[in-house]
Amino acid sequence: MPNDNVEKRVERVLVSAEAIRQRVGELVELIKADLGESDPVVVALLKGSIVFLADLIRGFDRPLAFDFVGVSSYGDGTSPGEEIAFTKELSVDIAGRHVLVVDDILDTGRTLRRVLGYLEMFGPASVRTCVLLDKRARRDVAIEPDYTGFEIGDEFVVGYGMDFADRYRNLPYIGVLARER
Ligand code: IMP
Ligand code: MG
């Protein structure tokens, strides 16, 4: 194993744990104001959104259900014809329910577009989207999240659920990974 001390490979902290905590609290208030008394289903995209989901749902004092959808993209992640496959399908019935889709990062927008198309097939009453990070500059699908934690530049980030090669998800902050030298 190479020397893989996590702290050494994170170049800098982009969003601190405290800043995340504060912003998640604000998002909860915005979402609550919109969802009112409804009993929503929160649908989180595996795996990157789970830490965000865990913090977000604990801000709610009303009944809600949550479920996961697993998606994986094949190809290099940059080609427009790329296929997105479901590795876990929905298991909660969302027909007639208000749905909040939660994801970690909105990048090109292809994943979220595919998931929204999939969810529509089940006849939800409404679908709203909440992303922790928005890399606006990289978007190639016309999609606008209803709730955004932070807009960031075109940098590869890890931590707070987000990974590089399935690692760094456990970091309590969002960091920029040092490029390989
Ligand atoms: P999109 O389909 O291009 O919008 O891809 C969004 C997905 O790519 C996110 O849900 C993440 O899983 C992944 N992703 C995009 N940028 C990053 C990053 O900087 N770090 C970790 N994962 C990323
Ligand atoms: Mg993801």
Side-chain angles (χ1 to χ4, degrees):
M1 284 280 270
N3 177 357
D4 54 9
N5 181 325
V6 160
E7 297 300 334
K8 275 188 182 156
R9 304 219 31 215
V10 172
E11 204 165 67
R12 65 194 159 86
V13 175
L14 188 64
V15 189
S16 69
E18 177 52 26
I20 295 170
R21 193 194 61 75
Q22 194 183 328
R23 184 62 183 144
V24 169
E26 291 169 1
L27 290 175
V28 167
E29 294 310 315
L30 292 171
I31 295 166
K32 273 191 198 170
D34 290 348
L35 287 174
E37 301 289 310
S38 72
D39 177 0
V41 183
V42 180
V43 175
L45 274 60
L46 292 172
K47 305 180 213 174
S49 66
I50 67 145
V51 178
F52 180 36
L53 173 77
D55 282 345
L56 202 63
I57 59 174
R58 284 180 291 171
F60 287 80
D61 46 10
R62 300 190 185 288
L64 62 78
F66 67 82
D67 196 10
F68 300 103
V69 160
V71 283
S72 73
S73 45
Y74 294 113
D76 61 7
T78 55
S79 52
E82 173 178 308
E83 286 293 311
I84 291 165
F86 286 85
T87 55
K88 189 213 167 283
E89 303 235 8
L90 204 59
S91 49
V92 165
D93 184 9
I94 61 166
R97 308 275 305 267
H98 293 286
V99 172
L100 178 70
V101 179
V102 173
D103 200 10
D104 53 356
I105 306 188
L106 189 57
D107 190 19
T108 65
R110 287 182 205 133
T111 305
L112 196 56
R113 178 181 57 183
R114 179 78 178 83
V115 169
L116 292 176
Y118 168 78
L119 295 176
E120 282 303 334
M121 300 192 308
F122 301 97
S126 71
V127 180
R128 289 183 174 84
T129 53
C130 176
V131 299
L132 179 64
L133 304 177
D134 185 353
K135 287 189 190 177
R136 250 168 193 291
R138 291 194 24 101
R139 194 86 83 260
D140 65 19
V141 164
I143 198 164
E144 197 62 49
D146 294 294
Y147 313 98
T148 301
F150 303 93
E151 286 191 15
I152 65 167
D154 184 6
E155 292 184 288
F156 197 85
V157 296
V158 294
Y160 197 68
M162 292 167 282
D163 74 307
F164 171 67
D166 249 326
R167 301 185 62 223
Y168 307 100
R169 294 190 195 274
N170 53 305
L171 301 179
Y173 54 84
I174 298 167
V176 176
L177 209 59
R179 301 208 184 261
E180 292 291 335
R181 272 171 247 273

